[in-house]
Amino acid sequence: MAVQERTLVLIKPDAIQRGLIGEITTRFEKKGLKLIGLKMMGLDEALLREHYAHISEKPFFPSLSKFMQSTPVIAMCWEGLEVVDAVRKITGITKARQAEAGSIRGDLAMSVSCNVIHASDSLENAEVEVKRFFKLDELYTYNKSEYMHVYAADELE
Ligand code: UDP
Ligand code: MG
């Protein structure tokens, strides 16, 4: 049985500068996902070290950190059935110029670093990342009337 999940997406500085907020957000909306949290925020070194702990010792980390602090980002929390995996598929692989056509990175970016969005890579990480970027009262619960057309009835039980 599929389960409702939550995942974190960050619209990165390159996408903010290139005017791609609407284009990116539209793709998630059209997919049928539910937006339950959204805000603009500046990231600092401490938060980036935590968020990118798995790569914070890599030689490219200082320039990645500088890039991620270069403009505010948009943080979004999306909800849906098996949404962590679905969003990673829509996102495409890290090296954008090799990402599959049709994916956000495949269609909108060419760089390894400036790859327009972040998306949580596992359910476990998604839970930690959503908590890292959103307070409980910044996440909303509401009925999406569209759901009856997005999912089959037995998927919503
Ligand atoms: N990154 C980079 N150089 C690399 C690998 C990663 O600048 O060689 C950046 C890139 O912005 C990437 C982020 O670090 O999106 C996080 O890396 P990860 O391996 O977690 O990739 P993702 O999950 O974003 O596809
Ligand atoms: Mg990652």
Side-chain angles (χ1 to χ4, degrees):
M1 172 74 185
V3 286
Q4 285 284 346
E5 298 173 356
R6 294 171 168 190
T7 195
L8 178 81
V9 170
L10 300 177
I11 302 185
K12 293 183 176 181
D14 54 326
I16 306 286
Q17 291 291 351
R18 293 172 58 209
L20 295 173
I21 299 167
E23 162 83 36
I24 290 165
T25 309
T26 296
R27 289 180 178 226
F28 294 119
E29 287 187 301
K30 282 186 176 168
K31 179 72 170 167
L33 309 185
K34 188 199 279 188
L35 184 63
I36 62 162
L38 173 75
K39 62 178 173 181
M40 185 171 235
M41 62 191 290
L43 307 182
D44 62 22
E45 182 75 19
L47 188 133
L48 283 162
R49 280 205 169 273
E50 201 179 287
H51 179 63
Y52 283 140
H54 62 298
I55 49 174
S56 64
E57 301 307 318
K58 300 270 188 195
F60 60 81
F61 182 76
S63 58
L64 174 66
S65 175
K66 195 173 164 203
F67 160 63
M68 290 297 290
Q69 294 180 67
S70 64
T71 78
V73 302
I74 304 279
M76 304 192 285
C77 182
W78 291 96
E79 193 177 81
L81 290 194
E82 299 176 346
V83 75
V84 176
D85 199 36
V87 164
R88 282 295 284 196
K89 285 202 168 73
I90 300 170
T91 298
I93 62 165
T94 312
K95 190 176 181 181
R97 56 186 173 271
Q98 285 179 0
E100 224 173 298
S103 67
I104 289 172
R105 286 170 172 169
D107 288 353
L108 302 176
M110 281 296 285
S111 167
V112 176
S113 302
C114 305
N115 52 13
V116 292
I117 60 170
H118 164 82
S120 306
D121 65 2
S122 67
L123 185 53
E124 195 187 5
N125 284 341
E127 279 166 9
V128 173
E129 290 180 357
V130 168
K131 281 198 191 113
R132 179 176 296 137
F133 283 85
F134 288 95
K135 299 190 191 91
L136 259 183
D137 66 1
E138 292 174 327
L139 296 171
Y140 294 86
T141 305
Y142 61 95
N143 286 324
K144 200 159 194 274
S145 56
E146 182 195 79
Y147 261 21
M148 63 189 285
H149 306 291
V150 170
Y151 297 108
D154 64 331
E155 291 174 313
L156 291 172
E157 276 164 11

